Amino acid sequence: MIKFELALKGMFRTDLVLGNAGQRRFGLIEFEDAQATSIFKRGTVQYRYWSPRIEHGFSQILDWAWVRSDHPNDSVLLAGFGGPITTSAYAVICGRDASLADDVERKRFKHRRDHLKVEGQPALVLTYDEMVRSMEDNLAVAKTWS
């Protein structure tokens, strides 16, 4: 299942939903922009602050999880997903590798990625560059199966 701009309760909208309708497992993905200030923005002398863009992405996935939790048997939600949802995964894609200015920012970004959980499950956080590399790796593996 692939759906773009899926509305959740008329309040929120996913950028992309990828799912396995047979197993009732779905990934809800939020794409933020890929500007130099998408992950971090101006800050102090010691470090830059998290950007409103990436914070918006995290807020979106938390709201999607809330909708799903608050309305698990909602007919509109069930219709949008073609039935009940067994498992959800969440992802935010934001920024570019080059926008991480130094080792401290790379470590902060990695820490956030490694420790962010939504509904007790890890949430995927990637830059656009990481997403492309992951897709290329998966495609290379898939090509070996022929």
Side-chain angles (χ1 to χ4, degrees), residues 17 21-22 80 85-86 90 110 126 141:
V17 175
I85 303 165
T86 302
Y90 302 94
K110 182 182 181 315
L126 298 172
V141 169

Side-chain angles (χ1 to χ4, degrees), residues 129-142:
D129 300 298
E130 291 172 319
M131 177 188 70
V132 168
R133 282 193 301 274
S134 179
M135 292 168 72
E136 288 171 342
D137 291 347
N138 288 331
L139 183 58
V141 169

